[in-house]
Amino acid sequence: MVSQYQNELKNFVEREKLAIRAISPIHKLWVERSVELLLFRRVMVHQGPIDILKSHNYARQISKVNFGIELTLPIIETLADMPLCPSRIDIGLLAVKWVESGKDRGELRTFLEGCLTDHLKPNGADFEPRDVVLYGFGRIGRLMARLLVNQAGGGGALRLRAVVCRGNLNVAKRAALFQRDSVHGPYQGNITVLEEEDAFVANGVFVKFISASSPDQVDYEAYGIKNALIVDNTGVWRDRDGLGLHLKANGADRVLLTAPGKGDIPNIVYGVNHRTFNEEERIFSAASCTTNAIVPVLKAVNDAFGIESTHVETVHSYTNDQNLLDNYHKKERRGRSAGLNMVITETGAASAVAKALPELTGRVTGNAVRVPTPNVSLAILNMELQQEVDRDTINDMLRRASLEGPLVAQIDYTRDEDVVSSDMVGNTHAAIVDSLATQVHGKRAVIYVWYDNEFGYSMQVARVARIVSGVERLRYY
């Protein structure tokens, strides 16, 4: 008699074999056609068989469909034989629709062609790649570099060409910081430092390092860089006059700030207001990490139930702006030791909501508490709704928003009763709703939203970068 131990192990090995088989067509689609496959927003490219199976386990939990690699593999293999244009395709959504259609395996290709009509057009994603320069190479700058390098293998809608530093280049040291990260782990790729050329090569991407004390001092065209998007990670210049200095540099075409912009600079939260900017605009802001976390959730709730008012309390990991030990700081309380204290401070996220969601102008207040953790923050949304709801209704609405609709890239959802902040490191979403923490009483609702304030935010910046550069690929999710 075969034991349960043997049965379970045999079943796992069979699923692992199928996952291994899936890797080849996933890679083929990415390298040959710049088609990136996802499974309910979990990226399939560059994943090993265990990671692929874990993503299927998540899909099974969140979708309430009996997901398995047996269901998605035929879809993946069929897609690999279709003449798709550069795009991002969520096979989870396709699989759910396939199951709901009740059609048999022989009709799969016809079904997929019907779903992906626009993706089969030869010029469906017709654009020229955009050169990108990272101005600053701190926490966000290095994560952006990782993201851009990893995206280059599929045709590179955004091409990382250079990094500008305001101090000593010391490329070897900067490459070491790129390669090793205490929060996000080692870089999963190859890197070679070319000290004589002030550059490094990461997974075949040549990245030039340039020293400049002011944005208008660089001649990018001298390095073969043209019509570049300058991503300013320094936070030094935040108004139109300061950021406009970038546009005085030869080879610079547009500027994207990775902090809230001042004055009339468009603050864009991808997924919410990324289609509303003036086509003639050349200076943009990707807002803040907290704004990107709370705005998608506020929009989903407001669209469904209406929000009378809300107070946002963000429990935020410490940042480089704070002191390791007590010392002078121009802002109150931030001079006290970041690693030893909870520090009450202000947040501009509440006032920034109005720029992305004008309908909530005057309805949002906020405060922040910096805590002794290096990454991942928590926003607590205490809301007065315009109608009475119950906990299951509001949670199910957010669960569905994480699966389909315009906010799937921004909102993730968990009902894991053991989840803590470190489990969210590396999450690609702007916000992760902790459904088990949701509190509802009549018109009062409290929603807890996790967010990786470094990586999740960097993903949002990359999305905004593509849209303002005109190199956004077609999507099916």
Side-chain angles (χ1 to χ4, degrees):
M1 182 176 181
V2 179
S3 68
Q4 183 177 2
Y5 172 87
Q6 291 171 309
N7 272 332
E8 292 293 340
L9 183 58
K10 180 181 178 181
N11 289 338
F12 174 79
V13 170
E14 290 302 316
R15 292 197 303 274
E16 186 178 31
K17 288 179 180 177
L18 294 178
I20 292 171
R21 184 171 135 191
I23 291 174
S24 179
I26 290 171
H27 188 260
K28 175 183 176 182
L29 283 165
W30 174 241
V31 172
E32 295 183 4
R33 297 173 206 166
S34 194
V35 174
E36 185 178 20
L37 297 188
L38 309 100
L39 181 60
F40 290 129
R41 302 301 306 157
R42 268 55 182 176
V43 175
M44 297 286 99
V45 179
H46 303 314
Q47 300 300 306
I50 302 302
D51 295 314
I52 291 175
L53 293 179
K54 285 174 65 177
S55 294
H56 280 78
N57 185 54
Y58 167 81
R60 186 163 52 251
Q61 294 174 11
I62 196 72
S63 69
K64 299 182 180 179
V65 172
N66 188 22
F67 258 91
I69 186 68
E70 302 86 354
L71 173 62
T72 59
L73 181 59
I75 295 174
I76 293 169
E77 292 182 328
T78 303
L79 291 174
D81 288 332
M82 293 169 59
L84 298 166
C85 66
S87 51
R88 310 186 85 210
I89 298 175
D90 196 317
I91 59 173
L93 186 57
L94 284 173
V96 169
K97 290 188 175 182
W98 171 246
V99 171
E100 291 174 347
S101 74
K103 296 180 179 180
D104 60 41
R105 175 69 183 274
E107 300 174 279
L108 179 57
R109 185 179 180 107
T110 301
F111 168 81
L112 293 175
E113 289 173 346
C115 292
L116 302 170
T117 302
D118 291 340
H119 299 67
L120 293 168
K121 296 177 181 178
N123 298 319
D126 191 14
F127 54 74
E128 290 294 324
R130 172 80 67 160
D131 287 350
V132 176
V133 174
L134 297 176
Y135 202 97
F137 206 54
R139 299 299 299 154
I140 302 303
R142 293 195 294 273
L143 287 176
M144 283 294 296
R146 286 188 175 194
L147 288 173
L148 293 172
V149 168
N150 288 342
Q151 289 286 319
L158 296 174
R159 304 188 302 187
L160 176 58
R161 299 296 308 278
V163 172
V164 179
C165 301
R166 291 181 295 142
N168 190 337
L169 289 183
N170 197 339
V171 176
K173 177 60 70 177
R174 296 185 188 277
L177 288 168
F178 171 85
Q179 193 169 16
R180 301 177 183 87
D181 192 292
S182 300
V183 172
H184 300 281
Y187 173 64
Q188 301 298 318
N190 299 312
I191 182 168
T192 302
V193 177
L194 306 175
E195 291 193 67
E196 292 185 0
E197 300 182 55
D198 288 331
F200 68 59
V201 178
N203 283 6
V205 177
F206 181 92
V207 182
K208 176 71 176 178
F209 279 74
I210 304 167
S211 179
S213 58
S214 178
D216 56 353
Q217 291 182 348
V218 187
D219 183 357
Y220 294 112
E221 292 187 355
Y223 304 101
I225 300 170
K226 298 180 179 180
N227 300 319
L229 171 68
I230 312 300
V231 181
D232 189 322
N233 306 289
T234 67
V236 174
W237 303 276
R238 294 174 59 184
D239 59 15
R240 190 169 290 278
D241 288 341
L243 293 170
L245 293 173
H246 287 291
L247 299 178
K248 295 181 179 180
N250 289 333
D253 179 65
R254 298 193 173 192
V255 182
L256 176 60
L257 172 66
T258 62
K262 296 180 178 181
D264 65 344
I265 293 175
N267 281 258
I268 299 176
V269 175
Y270 190 94
V272 176
N273 67 333
H274 63 282
R275 303 289 183 190
T276 62
F277 63 87
N278 188 322
E279 291 295 330
E280 301 300 316
E281 182 63 73
R282 298 177 68 194
I283 300 176
F284 307 87
S285 160
S288 71
C289 56
T290 302
T291 304
N292 275 270
I294 65 177
V295 165
V297 178
L298 289 174
K299 177 172 175 54
V301 174
N302 190 54
D303 287 351
F305 311 112
I307 295 176
E308 194 64 38
S309 64
T310 185
H311 176 77
V312 179
E313 195 72 38
T314 174
V315 183
H316 199 294
S317 294
Y318 59 73
T319 67
N320 272 329
D321 172 65
Q322 295 170 256
N323 291 333
L324 286 176
L325 295 173
D326 292 355
N327 207 340
Y328 172 81
H329 196 291
K330 63 182 180 180
K331 292 189 176 181
E332 292 81 2
R333 309 192 201 221
R334 292 196 189 188
R336 302 299 299 278
S337 174
L340 297 176
N341 295 290
M342 293 189 293
V343 180
I344 297 176
T345 186
E346 76 280 356
T347 175
S351 59
V353 168
K355 285 193 171 184
L357 284 177
E359 58 267 37
L360 293 184
T361 300
R363 300 186 189 183
V364 184
T365 59
N367 217 342
V369 180
R370 295 288 179 94
V371 294
T373 55
N375 184 42
V376 178
S377 301
L378 177 67
I380 305 169
L381 310 180
N382 196 326
M383 297 177 286
E384 178 76 22
L385 304 179
Q386 295 175 353
Q387 59 181 279
E388 292 191 359
V389 295
D390 57 48
R391 185 170 181 264
D392 289 342
T393 299
I394 201 166
N395 272 343
D396 191 59
M397 180 276 295
L398 291 167
R399 182 188 68 85
R400 286 184 282 107
S402 75
L403 291 176
E404 58 185 16
L407 296 172
V408 292
Q410 285 66 52
I411 298 177
D412 201 1
Y413 182 93
T414 179
R415 50 188 177 207
D416 188 337
E417 60 187 14
D418 290 318
V419 75
V420 294
S421 62
S422 61
D423 296 317
M424 306 303 178
V425 174
N427 192 294
T428 62
H429 296 76
I432 307 104
V433 174
D434 194 322
S435 62
L436 296 185
T438 300
Q439 303 289 319
V440 180
H441 182 71
K443 294 183 179 180
R444 299 292 300 177
V446 184
I447 299 175
Y448 289 74
V449 179
W450 299 101
Y451 56 108
D452 183 329
N453 49 276
E454 294 185 338
F455 189 78
Y457 175 63
S458 294
M459 288 293 295
Q460 283 287 90
V461 174
R463 294 171 184 131
V464 174
R466 284 191 287 269
I467 196 75
V468 302
S469 297
V471 295
E472 188 178 38
R473 288 176 290 174
L474 287 174
R475 307 182 297 169
Y476 186 86
Y477 53 73

